[in-house]
Amino acid sequence: MWMFVLTMVSHLSGWKKLAQRFPAKGSETGKTFRFQSAYIGWAQYSGVLTFVINPNGLGLSAVFPFRFGHPAVFIPWAEFHNFHEVKKFLQTVVVMEAGDPVITKLTLPRWVLDEYCQ
């Protein structure tokens, strides 16, 4: 049942299409932040993501046991479009579209873009 749910979330959120278009090669390095949260499409991933941030792009992977149906992705910065900031509770998040044509929206903490800009 768990694997079915994870597979459905991957399909419905857009993660599967991200993974098909932007598969991680496994050699991406950069600043790594574990146990992070984000929205991919409508799906909230709370504390189960690892971000890898480098000048080329953003890597996303899910921790075990949420990894099933969620292969690691690495999205080049040039593939993000239509950024806008939103105040959400006590933090500022950035909503952006990934891919052209758009695959899905990502909602990430503002500090992710700050790390890229450093």
Side-chain angles (χ1 to χ4, degrees), residues 15 18 22-26 28-34 36 38 40 49-62 71-77 80 106 108 111-112:
W15 188 297
L18 285 175
F22 307 112
K25 309 277 189 272
E28 293 84 2
T29 59
K31 287 189 177 182
T32 302
F33 302 91
R34 291 177 172 70
Q36 299 301 313
I40 311 296
L49 298 178
T50 298
F51 299 158
V52 175
I53 301 169
N54 71 34
N56 298 317
L58 172 66
L60 300 170
S61 60
V73 299
F74 188 80
I75 308 166
W77 292 115
F80 290 109
L106 284 81
L108 303 169
W111 64 261
V112 172

Side-chain angles (χ1 to χ4, degrees), residues 90-110:
L90 299 176
Q91 73 173 7
T92 301
V93 296
V94 178
V95 180
M96 54 193 155
E97 297 172 341
D100 187 19
V102 175
I103 297 169
T104 192
K105 286 185 179 180
L106 284 81
T107 304
L108 303 169
R110 170 70 198 170

Side-chain angles (χ1 to χ4, degrees), residues 4-48:
F4 174 75
V5 170
L6 289 175
T7 300
M8 291 306 297
V9 170
S10 175
H11 282 271
L12 296 173
S13 69
W15 188 297
K16 181 177 183 194
K17 287 184 179 181
L18 285 175
Q20 290 170 338
R21 177 100 180 268
F22 307 112
K25 309 277 189 272
S27 60
E28 293 84 2
T29 59
K31 287 189 177 182
T32 302
F33 302 91
R34 291 177 172 70
F35 306 110
Q36 299 301 313
S37 300
Y39 278 88
I40 311 296
W42 60 269
Q44 182 179 10
Y45 294 85
S46 294
V48 300

Side-chain angles (χ1 to χ4, degrees), residues 66-94:
F66 300 93
R67 194 172 294 147
F68 188 84
H70 291 79
V73 299
F74 188 80
I75 308 166
W77 292 115
E79 293 291 338
F80 290 109
H81 310 282
N82 298 325
F83 298 80
H84 64 277
E85 289 186 357
V86 176
K87 295 281 187 193
K88 195 167 194 177
F89 303 110
L90 299 176
Q91 73 173 7
T92 301
V93 296
V94 178

